[in-house]
């Protein structure tokens, strides 16, 4: 959560700026009463809001204005310019909203106005009296928050098998593991937040079964949790190696906060690490362990890291960046076994390692859904409103396979921002809103000093188009199938990433 420099820059907006200085659709960063403020114009209306994103502190003046909203260039959070409300994840908190006045041909920013965290709505006749959420991750937490923000006053019970409250999972393989982010950055909310919003968050509360006929959740401790609406947000489980030595204590998976804590503790004592897997988690872990000073070797079956998702051009760049930082690769091979001091590879090589991290992908946690008789197809099948085949039961996050309006195919995406946005949509639909989930998938990865943003979804493509210079960290790569752009990855072009996202939104469904 490295904060963007929010020190006052630009004009003092309390002294007024000429209205003519701001064109329709333009934004200006300034300050008021010592706070960084963004002044934006839409038509004849002027808006003033906080200038930094509440997610990781991104500079909103470098983002994209869409209608009366502004989108953050870093991770695509979206805020209302009228109210400051955080409209779309990953931001959960509103930005400040300031009183604006026009007189004498100038625009004056006067003082902050209160930001409401709840939208008053009349209770629907069929409003559920009790909503249960299974899962305390991105989707589950986002759903609970939106339910209260939408004015829902019924019972909310969040059942999490984790022993920690909802936390910032992407940070576990990035800054937290690298030692550049303290643990107090990791929780999404304090325990007081859930009490104050009357969200019954139950930790270390595994669920055994769902009775969709009686509308009850059956707990491992024998308890029962009734519901009128249910959200399944059980996430994914890391894939494991079935090899000799894979259960040794120095071999780690990374999914939970507990996993990351254990990995940090061992990394402080280790000298040489082997990372199995060349996907996002494996390579982010490799970068973070290298930042701690460990010797790092990466093993992967594919000839180019990340090429299956990012294509060969970005994959080659990723390898060059890691190798420049001292990471060594063993590609086109996989482990055959390991002992306390080394990893044996199928090509005959042996890697010295007193720490091993396995990052070979995840599988959707669909066991409860299968037991409940829900439709399954490489995930939990949901409609455009994220409702499953069982009445009153919704699914969101890593388990949900939904109809993508842009490709006409059912897709499942294992990304944090997608899970949060699905949780937000599912919450409104559990209240009867009938809001299709049509958000464009987005994710980002940080490895050493390289950040890549990706919008869209391309499981298969036949052409990649590179614009700019990847080695100069100023490029975008488009992924096309039969001449149609399905996804865009950018390096050093945050605004172009936002523009690509907007183009997908406006494109033919």
């Amino acid at each position: 959560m490295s904060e963007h420099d929010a020190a006052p820059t630009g004009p003092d907006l309390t002294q007024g700026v000429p209205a003519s200085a701001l064109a329709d659709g333009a934004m200006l960063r300034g300050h008021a009463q010592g706070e960084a403020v963004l002044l934006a114009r839409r038509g004849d209306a002027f808006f003033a809001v906080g200038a930094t994103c509440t997610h990781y502190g991104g500079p909103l003046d470098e983002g994209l204005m869409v209608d009366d909203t502004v989108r953050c260039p870093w991770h695509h959070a979206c805020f209302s310019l009228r109210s400051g409300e955080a409209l779309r994840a990953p931001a959960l908190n509103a930005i400040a909203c300031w009183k604006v006045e026009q007189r004498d041909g100038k625009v004056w920013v006067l003082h902050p106005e209160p930001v409401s965290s709840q939208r008053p709505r009349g209770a629907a006749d069929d409003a559920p009296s009790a909503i249960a959420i299974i899962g305390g991750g991105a989707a589950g937490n986002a759903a609970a928050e939106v339910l209260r923000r939408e004015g829902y006053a019924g019972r909310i019970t969040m059942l999490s098998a984790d022993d920690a409250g909802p936390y910032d999972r992407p940070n576990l393989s990035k800054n937290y593991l690298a030692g550049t982010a303290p643990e107090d950055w990791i929780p999404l909310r304090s325990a007081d937040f859930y009490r104050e919003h009357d969200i019954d968050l139950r930790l270390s509360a595994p669920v055994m079964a769902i009775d969709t006929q009686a509308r009850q959740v059956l707990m491992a401790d024998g308890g029962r949790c009734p519901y009128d609406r249910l959200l399944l947000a059980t996430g994914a489980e890391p894939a494991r190696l079935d090899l000799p030595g894979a259960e040794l204590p120095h071999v780690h998976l990374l999914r939970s906060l507990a996993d990351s804590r254990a990995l940090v503790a061992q990394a402080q004592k280790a000298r040489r690490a082997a990372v199995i897997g060349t996907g996002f988690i494996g390579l982010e872990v490799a970068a973070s362990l290298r930042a701690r000073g460990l010797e790092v070797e990466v093993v992967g079956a594919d000839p180019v890291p990340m090429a299956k998702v990012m294509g060969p051009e970005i994959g080659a760049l990723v390898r060059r960046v890691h190798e420049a930082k001292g990471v060594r690769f063993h590609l086109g091979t996989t482990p055959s076994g390991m002992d306390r001091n080394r990893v044996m590879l199928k090509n005959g090589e042996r890697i010295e390692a007193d720490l091993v991290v396995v990052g070979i992908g995840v599988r959707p946690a669909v066991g409860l859904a299968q037991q409940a008789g829900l439709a399954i197809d490489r995930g939990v099948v949901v409609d455009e409103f994220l409702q499953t085949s069982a009445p009153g039961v919704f699914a969101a996050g890593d388990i949900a396979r939904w109809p993508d309006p842009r490709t006409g195919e059912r897709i499942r995406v294992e990304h944090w921002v997608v899970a949060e946005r699905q949780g937000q949509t599912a919450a409104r639909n559990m209240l009867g809103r009938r809001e299709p989930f049509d958000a464009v998938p987005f994710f980002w990865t940080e490895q050493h000093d390289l950040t890549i943003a990706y919008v869209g979804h391309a499981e298969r493509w036949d052409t990649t188009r590179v614009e700019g210079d990847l080695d100069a960290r100023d490029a975008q790569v488009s992924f096309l199938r039969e001449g149609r752009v399905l996804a865009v990855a950018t390096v050093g072009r945050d605004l172009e990433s936002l523009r690509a996202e907007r183009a997908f939104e406006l494109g033919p469904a």
Side-chain angles (χ1 to χ4, degrees), residues 267-339:
Q268 292 171 341
K269 301 178 291 184
R271 293 177 51 253
R272 301 178 65 92
V275 176
I276 314 301
T278 55
F280 296 101
I281 294 299
L283 292 175
E284 288 174 2
V285 166
S288 295
L289 294 179
R290 191 75 188 103
R292 286 183 174 271
L294 277 71
E295 296 296 315
V296 178
E297 309 208 32
V298 176
V299 179
D302 296 324
V304 180
M306 287 179 22
K308 286 182 178 178
V309 176
M310 289 289 194
E313 297 89 355
I314 290 181
L317 170 66
V318 166
R319 179 175 182 176
R320 290 194 296 272
V321 168
H322 277 270
E323 289 180 333
K325 297 292 185 178
V327 175
R328 291 182 289 275
F329 284 88
H330 305 263
L331 300 174
T333 188
T334 57
S336 58
M338 55 196 74
D339 60 25

Side-chain angles (χ1 to χ4, degrees), residues 48-62:
V49 294
T52 54
C53 178
T54 57
H55 176 231
Y56 278 12
L60 295 180
D61 57 300
E62 297 177 16

Side-chain angles (χ1 to χ4, degrees), residues 241-258:
L241 287 174
D242 183 16
L243 294 173
E247 300 302 320
L248 287 168
H250 72 299
V251 180
H252 293 256
L253 300 171
L254 178 54
R255 182 67 181 175
S256 68
L257 177 56

Side-chain angles (χ1 to χ4, degrees), residues 7-70:
T9 59
D12 183 350
L13 301 176
T14 65
Q15 301 302 307
V17 296
S20 59
L22 218 58
D24 183 13
M27 299 184 291
L28 172 68
R29 184 186 178 103
H31 59 93
Q33 299 177 16
E35 300 292 329
V37 174
L38 178 72
L39 183 65
R41 180 174 186 172
R42 175 58 70 208
D44 293 330
F46 290 83
F47 308 100
V49 294
T52 54
C53 178
T54 57
H55 176 231
Y56 278 12
L60 295 180
D61 57 300
E62 297 177 16
L64 183 68
M65 189 172 167
V66 178
D67 299 326
D68 58 356
T69 70
V70 61

